[in-house]
Amino acid sequence: MSCKRLMMAREKIQIKKIDNATARQVTFSKRRRGLFKKAEELSVLCDADVALIIFSSTGKLFHYSSSSMTKILERHSLHSKNLEKLDQPSLELQLVEDANYATLSKVVSERTLQLRRLRGEELHNLSIDELHQLEKSLESGLGRVVAKKGEVIMNEINRLQEKGMQLKEENDRLRQEMMEVSNARKQIHTDTEIVIGEYDQSSESITNISDSAGPSQDNGSSYTSLKLGCRLPYRG
Protein backbone atom coordinates (compact mmCIF):
# COMPACT_ATOMS: atom_id res chain seq x y z
CA MET A 1 0.00 0.00 0.00
CA SER A 2 2.87 2.40 0.85
CA CYS A 3 4.54 1.65 -2.48
CA LYS A 4 1.32 2.46 -4.28
CA ARG A 5 1.05 5.78 -2.47
CA LEU A 6 4.70 6.55 -3.31
CA MET A 7 4.05 5.88 -6.99
CA MET A 8 1.05 8.19 -6.90
CA ALA A 9 3.09 10.90 -5.13
CA ARG A 10 5.78 10.80 -7.80
CA GLU A 11 3.36 11.42 -10.61
CA LYS A 12 3.91 14.78 -12.30
CA ILE A 13 1.25 17.39 -11.58
CA GLN A 14 -0.06 19.17 -14.63
CA ILE A 15 0.80 22.86 -14.42
CA LYS A 16 -2.46 24.73 -14.85
CA LYS A 17 -4.78 26.85 -12.75
CA ILE A 18 -6.40 24.94 -9.91
CA ASP A 19 -10.13 25.34 -10.23
CA ASN A 20 -11.00 24.48 -6.63
CA ALA A 21 -10.50 27.60 -4.48
CA THR A 22 -9.69 25.69 -1.28
CA ALA A 23 -7.13 23.46 -3.00
CA ARG A 24 -5.69 26.51 -4.75
CA GLN A 25 -5.23 28.32 -1.41
CA VAL A 26 -3.59 25.26 0.21
CA THR A 27 -1.19 24.86 -2.74
CA PHE A 28 -0.36 28.59 -2.61
CA SER A 29 0.54 28.43 1.07
CA LYS A 30 2.73 25.34 0.65
CA ARG A 31 4.54 26.61 -2.45
CA ARG A 32 5.05 30.07 -0.93
CA ARG A 33 6.72 28.67 2.18
CA GLY A 34 8.89 26.41 0.02
CA LEU A 35 9.88 29.34 -2.22
CA PHE A 36 10.82 31.51 0.76
CA LYS A 37 12.87 28.65 2.19
CA LYS A 38 14.77 28.20 -1.10
CA ALA A 39 15.41 31.96 -1.25
CA GLU A 40 16.83 31.94 2.26
CA GLU A 41 19.07 28.96 1.46
CA LEU A 42 20.33 30.70 -1.69
CA SER A 43 21.14 33.84 0.27
CA VAL A 44 23.06 31.97 2.99
CA LEU A 45 24.91 29.49 0.77
CA CYS A 46 25.94 31.98 -1.94
CA ASP A 47 26.10 35.25 0.02
CA ALA A 48 23.57 36.82 -2.33
CA ASP A 49 21.02 39.59 -1.80
CA VAL A 50 17.62 38.05 -2.46
CA ALA A 51 14.22 39.73 -2.42
CA LEU A 52 10.83 38.17 -3.14
CA ILE A 53 7.51 39.98 -3.55
CA ILE A 54 4.33 37.96 -3.96
CA PHE A 55 0.73 39.07 -4.30
CA SER A 56 -1.91 36.41 -3.81
CA SER A 57 -5.04 36.16 -5.93
CA THR A 58 -6.87 38.04 -3.21
CA GLY A 59 -4.34 40.90 -3.30
CA LYS A 60 -2.52 40.02 -0.09
CA LEU A 61 1.19 40.92 -0.04
CA PHE A 62 3.90 38.50 0.99
CA HIS A 63 7.60 39.36 0.79
CA TYR A 64 11.03 38.12 1.82
CA SER A 65 14.41 39.83 1.75
CA SER A 66 17.82 38.67 2.90
CA SER A 67 18.70 42.25 3.85
CA SER A 68 16.89 45.58 3.63
CA MET A 69 14.09 45.34 1.06
CA THR A 70 14.37 49.09 0.39
CA LYS A 71 18.09 48.90 -0.43
CA ILE A 72 17.60 45.93 -2.71
CA LEU A 73 14.82 47.73 -4.59
CA GLU A 74 17.01 50.84 -4.95
CA ARG A 75 19.82 48.73 -6.40
CA HIS A 76 17.36 47.15 -8.82
CA SER A 77 16.08 50.55 -9.94
CA LEU A 78 19.61 51.93 -10.44
CA HIS A 79 20.65 48.87 -12.39
CA SER A 80 17.62 49.15 -14.66
CA LYS A 81 18.39 52.80 -15.40
CA ASN A 82 22.00 51.96 -16.27
CA LEU A 83 20.81 49.29 -18.68
CA GLU A 84 18.53 51.77 -20.37
CA LYS A 85 21.43 54.19 -20.81
CA LEU A 86 23.54 51.47 -22.39
CA ASP A 87 20.74 50.44 -24.74
CA GLN A 88 20.04 54.03 -25.82
CA PRO A 89 23.15 56.03 -26.84
CA SER A 90 23.38 59.62 -25.73
CA LEU A 91 22.32 62.45 -27.99
CA GLU A 92 25.88 63.81 -28.14
CA LEU A 93 27.25 60.45 -29.26
CA GLN A 94 24.49 60.15 -31.82
CA LEU A 95 25.35 63.60 -33.22
CA VAL A 96 29.04 62.66 -33.50
CA GLU A 97 28.21 59.45 -35.28
CA ASP A 98 25.93 61.29 -37.69
CA ALA A 99 28.64 63.87 -38.43
CA ASN A 100 31.25 61.15 -39.04
CA TYR A 101 28.85 59.30 -41.33
CA ALA A 102 28.15 62.47 -43.31
CA THR A 103 31.88 63.20 -43.67
CA LEU A 104 32.69 59.68 -44.82
CA SER A 105 29.81 59.71 -47.27
CA LYS A 106 31.07 62.98 -48.76
CA VAL A 107 34.62 61.62 -49.12
CA VAL A 108 33.40 58.43 -50.77
CA SER A 109 31.24 60.43 -53.18
CA GLU A 110 34.15 62.71 -54.13
CA ARG A 111 36.56 59.79 -54.67
CA THR A 112 33.99 57.95 -56.77
CA LEU A 113 33.44 61.02 -58.98
CA GLN A 114 37.22 61.47 -59.32
CA LEU A 115 37.69 57.89 -60.47
CA ARG A 116 34.89 58.19 -63.00
CA ARG A 117 36.46 61.35 -64.43
CA LEU A 118 39.83 59.58 -64.71
CA ARG A 119 38.01 57.01 -66.85
CA GLY A 120 36.70 59.82 -69.07
CA GLU A 121 33.20 60.01 -67.56
CA GLU A 122 31.24 62.86 -65.96
CA LEU A 123 33.26 65.57 -67.79
CA HIS A 124 30.39 67.82 -68.90
CA ASN A 125 30.47 70.07 -65.80
CA LEU A 126 34.24 70.67 -65.81
CA SER A 127 35.81 74.01 -66.75
CA ILE A 128 38.89 74.44 -68.95
CA ASP A 129 41.18 74.73 -65.94
CA GLU A 130 39.69 71.60 -64.39
CA LEU A 131 40.06 69.70 -67.65
CA HIS A 132 43.66 70.86 -67.94
CA GLN A 133 44.37 69.70 -64.37
CA LEU A 134 42.76 66.35 -65.13
CA GLU A 135 44.91 66.03 -68.24
CA LYS A 136 48.07 66.70 -66.20
CA SER A 137 47.01 64.09 -63.66
CA LEU A 138 46.46 61.53 -66.42
CA GLU A 139 49.82 62.32 -68.03
CA SER A 140 51.59 62.02 -64.69
CA GLY A 141 49.86 58.73 -63.97
CA LEU A 142 50.62 57.46 -67.47
CA GLY A 143 54.30 58.37 -67.02
CA ARG A 144 54.47 56.37 -63.79
CA VAL A 145 52.77 53.43 -65.46
CA VAL A 146 55.20 53.51 -68.40
CA ALA A 147 58.19 53.77 -66.04
CA LYS A 148 56.95 50.84 -64.00
CA LYS A 149 56.36 48.84 -67.16
CA GLY A 150 59.94 49.55 -68.34
CA GLU A 151 61.29 48.49 -64.94
CA VAL A 152 59.39 45.23 -65.06
CA ILE A 153 60.58 44.54 -68.62
CA MET A 154 64.22 45.21 -67.70
CA ASN A 155 63.98 42.94 -64.68
CA GLU A 156 62.58 40.20 -66.91
CA ILE A 157 65.37 40.71 -69.49
CA ASN A 158 68.03 40.50 -66.77
CA ARG A 159 66.46 37.35 -65.40
CA LEU A 160 66.42 35.75 -68.86
CA GLN A 161 70.04 36.76 -69.46
CA GLU A 162 71.12 35.22 -66.17
CA LYS A 163 69.26 32.06 -67.06
CA GLY A 164 70.93 32.03 -70.52
CA MET A 165 74.38 32.36 -68.90
CA GLN A 166 73.60 29.48 -66.57
CA LEU A 167 72.51 27.32 -69.52
CA LYS A 168 75.67 28.26 -71.45
CA GLU A 169 77.89 27.31 -68.50
CA GLU A 170 76.05 24.03 -68.15
CA ASN A 171 76.46 23.37 -71.88
CA ASP A 172 80.21 24.09 -71.73
CA ARG A 173 80.59 21.76 -68.77
CA LEU A 174 78.79 18.94 -70.57
CA ARG A 175 80.86 19.52 -73.70
CA GLN A 176 84.07 19.32 -71.64
CA GLU A 177 82.94 16.07 -70.04
CA MET A 178 82.13 14.61 -73.46
CA MET A 179 85.59 15.57 -74.75
CA GLU A 180 87.26 13.94 -71.76
CA VAL A 181 85.26 10.75 -72.32
CA SER A 182 86.13 10.77 -76.02
CA ASN A 183 89.85 11.26 -75.31
CA ALA A 184 89.77 8.44 -72.80
CA ARG A 185 88.21 6.14 -75.37
CA LYS A 186 90.83 7.11 -77.96
CA GLN A 187 93.61 6.40 -75.45
CA ILE A 188 92.13 2.99 -74.66
CA HIS A 189 91.90 2.19 -78.36
CA THR A 190 95.54 3.27 -78.94
CA ASP A 191 96.78 1.22 -76.01
CA THR A 192 94.87 -1.79 -77.31
CA GLU A 193 96.44 -1.47 -80.76
CA ILE A 194 99.91 -1.22 -79.22
CA VAL A 195 99.37 -4.36 -77.17
CA ILE A 196 98.05 -6.26 -80.19
CA GLY A 197 101.03 -5.11 -82.29
CA GLU A 198 103.49 -6.22 -79.64
CA TYR A 199 101.72 -9.57 -79.39
CA ASP A 200 101.92 -10.07 -83.17
CA GLN A 201 105.64 -9.24 -83.17
CA SER A 202 106.27 -11.74 -80.38
CA SER A 203 104.41 -14.45 -82.28
CA GLU A 204 106.46 -13.83 -85.44
CA SER A 205 109.71 -13.97 -83.43
CA ILE A 206 108.79 -17.32 -81.92
CA THR A 207 107.88 -18.70 -85.34
CA ASN A 208 111.18 -17.56 -86.85
CA ILE A 209 113.16 -19.12 -84.00
CA SER A 210 111.32 -22.42 -84.45
CA ASP A 211 112.00 -22.48 -88.18
CA SER A 212 115.73 -21.83 -87.75
CA ALA A 213 116.15 -24.65 -85.18
CA GLY A 214 115.80 -27.50 -87.79
CA PRO A 215 114.29 -31.01 -87.68
CA SER A 216 116.91 -32.47 -85.31
CA GLN A 217 115.80 -30.18 -82.56
CA ASP A 218 112.19 -31.10 -83.22
CA ASN A 219 112.99 -34.80 -82.89
CA GLY A 220 114.92 -34.13 -79.67
CA SER A 221 112.13 -32.09 -78.32
CA SER A 222 109.63 -34.78 -79.21
CA TYR A 223 111.79 -37.45 -77.64
CA THR A 224 112.24 -35.40 -74.48
CA SER A 225 108.50 -34.75 -74.23
CA LEU A 226 107.74 -38.41 -74.74
CA LYS A 227 110.29 -39.41 -72.15
CA LEU A 228 108.88 -36.93 -69.60
CA GLY A 229 105.38 -38.17 -70.32
CA CYS A 230 106.33 -41.76 -69.60
CA ARG A 231 107.73 -40.82 -66.17
CA LEU A 232 104.42 -39.30 -64.96
CA PRO A 233 102.75 -41.44 -62.21
CA TYR A 234 99.55 -43.23 -62.93
CA ARG A 235 96.46 -41.57 -61.37
CA GLY A 236 93.78 -44.16 -62.09
Side-chain angles (χ1 to χ4, degrees), residues 3-18:
C3 292
K4 188 174 182 180
R5 289 180 178 177
L6 184 61
M7 292 291 292
M8 294 177 63
R10 289 183 177 179
E11 291 181 358
K12 292 183 178 180
I13 300 175
Q14 186 177 5
I15 303 300
K16 66 176 184 178
K17 181 181 178 181
I18 300 175

PDB file of all heavy atoms in Angstrom, residues 3-18:
ATOM      1  N   CYS A   3       3.897   1.513  -1.160  1.00  0.00           N
ATOM      2  CA  CYS A   3       4.541   1.647  -2.477  1.00  0.00           C
ATOM      3  C   CYS A   3       3.577   2.288  -3.464  1.00  0.00           C
ATOM      4  O   CYS A   3       3.967   3.101  -4.302  1.00  0.00           O
ATOM      5  CB  CYS A   3       4.995   0.267  -2.972  1.00  0.00           C
ATOM      6  SG  CYS A   3       6.344  -0.428  -1.992  1.00  0.00           S
ATOM      7  N   LYS A   4       2.311   1.900  -3.382  1.00  0.00           N
ATOM      8  CA  LYS A   4       1.319   2.460  -4.285  1.00  0.00           C
ATOM      9  C   LYS A   4       1.154   3.948  -4.050  1.00  0.00           C
ATOM     10  O   LYS A   4       1.056   4.755  -4.990  1.00  0.00           O
ATOM     11  CB  LYS A   4      -0.004   1.726  -4.090  1.00  0.00           C
ATOM     12  CG  LYS A   4      -1.052   2.110  -5.124  1.00  0.00           C
ATOM     13  CD  LYS A   4      -2.273   1.233  -4.952  1.00  0.00           C
ATOM     14  CE  LYS A   4      -3.318   1.584  -6.028  1.00  0.00           C
ATOM     15  NZ  LYS A   4      -4.527   0.741  -5.872  1.00  0.00           N
ATOM     16  N   ARG A   5       1.152   4.352  -2.786  1.00  0.00           N
ATOM     17  CA  ARG A   5       1.055   5.781  -2.473  1.00  0.00           C
ATOM     18  C   ARG A   5       2.287   6.541  -2.969  1.00  0.00           C
ATOM     19  O   ARG A   5       2.170   7.674  -3.438  1.00  0.00           O
ATOM     20  CB  ARG A   5       0.890   5.962  -0.968  1.00  0.00           C
ATOM     21  CG  ARG A   5      -0.456   5.532  -0.438  1.00  0.00           C
ATOM     22  CD  ARG A   5      -0.533   5.756   1.065  1.00  0.00           C
ATOM     23  NE  ARG A   5      -1.845   5.384   1.581  1.00  0.00           N
ATOM     24  CZ  ARG A   5      -2.154   5.435   2.879  1.00  0.00           C
ATOM     25  NH1 ARG A   5      -1.250   5.842   3.778  1.00  0.00           N
ATOM     26  NH2 ARG A   5      -3.370   5.085   3.287  1.00  0.00           N
ATOM     27  N   LEU A   6       3.475   5.912  -2.846  1.00  0.00           N
ATOM     28  CA  LEU A   6       4.696   6.553  -3.309  1.00  0.00           C
ATOM     29  C   LEU A   6       4.667   6.762  -4.814  1.00  0.00           C
ATOM     30  O   LEU A   6       5.084   7.807  -5.325  1.00  0.00           O
ATOM     31  CB  LEU A   6       5.916   5.710  -2.908  1.00  0.00           C
ATOM     32  CG  LEU A   6       7.288   6.299  -3.251  1.00  0.00           C
ATOM     33  CD1 LEU A   6       7.483   7.633  -2.527  1.00  0.00           C
ATOM     34  CD2 LEU A   6       8.395   5.317  -2.832  1.00  0.00           C
ATOM     35  N   MET A   7       4.173   5.760  -5.550  1.00  0.00           N
ATOM     36  CA  MET A   7       4.053   5.879  -6.994  1.00  0.00           C
ATOM     37  C   MET A   7       3.101   7.010  -7.352  1.00  0.00           C
ATOM     38  O   MET A   7       3.352   7.783  -8.286  1.00  0.00           O
ATOM     39  CB  MET A   7       3.562   4.557  -7.583  1.00  0.00           C
ATOM     40  CG  MET A   7       4.581   3.415  -7.480  1.00  0.00           C
ATOM     41  SD  MET A   7       6.019   3.668  -8.538  1.00  0.00           S
ATOM     42  CE  MET A   7       5.230   3.500 -10.132  1.00  0.00           C
ATOM     43  N   MET A   8       2.003   7.119  -6.632  1.00  0.00           N
ATOM     44  CA  MET A   8       1.045   8.190  -6.897  1.00  0.00           C
ATOM     45  C   MET A   8       1.637   9.556  -6.562  1.00  0.00           C
ATOM     46  O   MET A   8       1.379  10.548  -7.242  1.00  0.00           O
ATOM     47  CB  MET A   8      -0.235   7.957  -6.086  1.00  0.00           C
ATOM     48  CG  MET A   8      -1.012   6.713  -6.523  1.00  0.00           C
ATOM     49  SD  MET A   8      -2.460   6.434  -5.504  1.00  0.00           S
ATOM     50  CE  MET A   8      -3.410   7.892  -5.870  1.00  0.00           C
ATOM     51  N   ALA A   9       2.501   9.616  -5.519  1.00  0.00           N
ATOM     52  CA  ALA A   9       3.087  10.896  -5.129  1.00  0.00           C
ATOM     53  C   ALA A   9       4.112  11.369  -6.146  1.00  0.00           C
ATOM     54  O   ALA A   9       4.328  12.564  -6.294  1.00  0.00           O
ATOM     55  CB  ALA A   9       3.728  10.762  -3.746  1.00  0.00           C
ATOM     56  N   ARG A  10       4.742  10.443  -6.843  1.00  0.00           N
ATOM     57  CA  ARG A  10       5.778  10.799  -7.797  1.00  0.00           C
ATOM     58  C   ARG A  10       5.210  11.189  -9.157  1.00  0.00           C
ATOM     59  O   ARG A  10       5.961  11.592 -10.038  1.00  0.00           O
ATOM     60  CB  ARG A  10       6.750   9.637  -7.971  1.00  0.00           C
ATOM     61  CG  ARG A  10       7.647   9.412  -6.755  1.00  0.00           C
ATOM     62  CD  ARG A  10       8.627   8.289  -7.027  1.00  0.00           C
ATOM     63  NE  ARG A  10       9.526   8.110  -5.892  1.00  0.00           N
ATOM     64  CZ  ARG A  10      10.483   7.164  -5.845  1.00  0.00           C
ATOM     65  NH1 ARG A  10      10.644   6.332  -6.859  1.00  0.00           N
ATOM     66  NH2 ARG A  10      11.259   7.062  -4.783  1.00  0.00           N
ATOM     67  N   GLU A  11       3.954  11.039  -9.344  1.00  0.00           N
ATOM     68  CA  GLU A  11       3.358  11.423 -10.607  1.00  0.00           C
ATOM     69  C   GLU A  11       3.442  12.941 -10.780  1.00  0.00           C
ATOM     70  O   GLU A  11       3.251  13.698  -9.845  1.00  0.00           O
ATOM     71  CB  GLU A  11       1.898  10.969 -10.658  1.00  0.00           C
ATOM     72  CG  GLU A  11       1.756   9.453 -10.742  1.00  0.00           C
ATOM     73  CD  GLU A  11       0.300   9.049 -10.825  1.00  0.00           C
ATOM     74  OE1 GLU A  11      -0.552   9.963 -10.779  1.00  0.00           O
ATOM     75  OE2 GLU A  11       0.010   7.852 -10.925  1.00  0.00           O
ATOM     76  N   LYS A  12       3.778  13.361 -12.018  1.00  0.00           N
ATOM     77  CA  LYS A  12       3.910  14.784 -12.300  1.00  0.00           C
ATOM     78  C   LYS A  12       2.537  15.458 -12.284  1.00  0.00           C
ATOM     79  O   LYS A  12       1.574  14.923 -12.820  1.00  0.00           O
ATOM     80  CB  LYS A  12       4.565  14.996 -13.659  1.00  0.00           C
ATOM     81  CG  LYS A  12       6.022  14.570 -13.684  1.00  0.00           C
ATOM     82  CD  LYS A  12       6.632  14.881 -15.041  1.00  0.00           C
ATOM     83  CE  LYS A  12       8.102  14.506 -15.064  1.00  0.00           C
ATOM     84  NZ  LYS A  12       8.735  14.807 -16.373  1.00  0.00           N
ATOM     85  N   ILE A  13       2.498  16.625 -11.639  1.00  0.00           N
ATOM     86  CA  ILE A  13       1.255  17.389 -11.576  1.00  0.00           C
ATOM     87  C   ILE A  13       1.193  18.315 -12.778  1.00  0.00           C
ATOM     88  O   ILE A  13       2.161  19.002 -13.096  1.00  0.00           O
ATOM     89  CB  ILE A  13       1.185  18.204 -10.276  1.00  0.00           C
ATOM     90  CG1 ILE A  13       1.236  17.261  -9.064  1.00  0.00           C
ATOM     91  CG2 ILE A  13      -0.067  19.070 -10.242  1.00  0.00           C
ATOM     92  CD1 ILE A  13       1.283  17.980  -7.739  1.00  0.00           C
ATOM     93  N   GLN A  14       0.093  18.316 -13.459  1.00  0.00           N
ATOM     94  CA  GLN A  14      -0.063  19.172 -14.630  1.00  0.00           C
ATOM     95  C   GLN A  14      -0.123  20.630 -14.183  1.00  0.00           C
ATOM     96  O   GLN A  14      -0.882  20.996 -13.291  1.00  0.00           O
ATOM     97  CB  GLN A  14      -1.336  18.786 -15.390  1.00  0.00           C
ATOM     98  CG  GLN A  14      -1.495  19.524 -16.710  1.00  0.00           C
ATOM     99  CD  GLN A  14      -2.728  19.055 -17.464  1.00  0.00           C
ATOM    100  OE1 GLN A  14      -3.510  18.242 -16.955  1.00  0.00           O
ATOM    101  NE2 GLN A  14      -2.908  19.582 -18.661  1.00  0.00           N
ATOM    102  N   ILE A  15       0.728  21.455 -14.795  1.00  0.00           N
ATOM    103  CA  ILE A  15       0.802  22.859 -14.417  1.00  0.00           C
ATOM    104  C   ILE A  15      -0.328  23.617 -15.110  1.00  0.00           C
ATOM    105  O   ILE A  15      -0.271  23.906 -16.313  1.00  0.00           O
ATOM    106  CB  ILE A  15       2.169  23.455 -14.774  1.00  0.00           C
ATOM    107  CG1 ILE A  15       3.298  22.667 -14.108  1.00  0.00           C
ATOM    108  CG2 ILE A  15       2.238  24.925 -14.359  1.00  0.00           C
ATOM    109  CD1 ILE A  15       3.219  22.637 -12.600  1.00  0.00           C
ATOM    110  N   LYS A  16      -1.341  23.922 -14.378  1.00  0.00           N
ATOM    111  CA  LYS A  16      -2.460  24.733 -14.850  1.00  0.00           C
ATOM    112  C   LYS A  16      -3.186  25.296 -13.627  1.00  0.00           C
ATOM    113  O   LYS A  16      -2.936  24.883 -12.493  1.00  0.00           O
ATOM    114  CB  LYS A  16      -3.416  23.920 -15.715  1.00  0.00           C
ATOM    115  CG  LYS A  16      -4.142  22.819 -14.968  1.00  0.00           C
ATOM    116  CD  LYS A  16      -5.135  22.114 -15.874  1.00  0.00           C
ATOM    117  CE  LYS A  16      -5.928  21.066 -15.106  1.00  0.00           C
ATOM    118  NZ  LYS A  16      -6.940  20.389 -15.960  1.00  0.00           N
ATOM    119  N   LYS A  17      -4.069  26.224 -13.858  1.00  0.00           N
ATOM    120  CA  LYS A  17      -4.781  26.847 -12.751  1.00  0.00           C
ATOM    121  C   LYS A  17      -5.661  25.817 -12.048  1.00  0.00           C
ATOM    122  O   LYS A  17      -6.376  25.034 -12.690  1.00  0.00           O
ATOM    123  CB  LYS A  17      -5.639  28.002 -13.267  1.00  0.00           C
ATOM    124  CG  LYS A  17      -6.400  28.725 -12.165  1.00  0.00           C
ATOM    125  CD  LYS A  17      -7.239  29.847 -12.733  1.00  0.00           C
ATOM    126  CE  LYS A  17      -8.049  30.534 -11.643  1.00  0.00           C
ATOM    127  NZ  LYS A  17      -8.897  31.635 -12.158  1.00  0.00           N
ATOM    128  N   ILE A  18      -5.576  25.857 -10.709  1.00  0.00           N
ATOM    129  CA  ILE A  18      -6.403  24.943  -9.910  1.00  0.00           C
ATOM    130  C   ILE A  18      -7.798  25.554  -9.795  1.00  0.00           C
ATOM    131  O   ILE A  18      -7.954  26.690  -9.313  1.00  0.00           O
ATOM    132  CB  ILE A  18      -5.770  24.723  -8.521  1.00  0.00           C
ATOM    133  CG1 ILE A  18      -4.359  24.120  -8.682  1.00  0.00           C
ATOM    134  CG2 ILE A  18      -6.636  23.812  -7.672  1.00  0.00           C
ATOM    135  CD1 ILE A  18      -3.613  23.994  -7.364  1.00  0.00           C
TER     136      ILE A  18
END
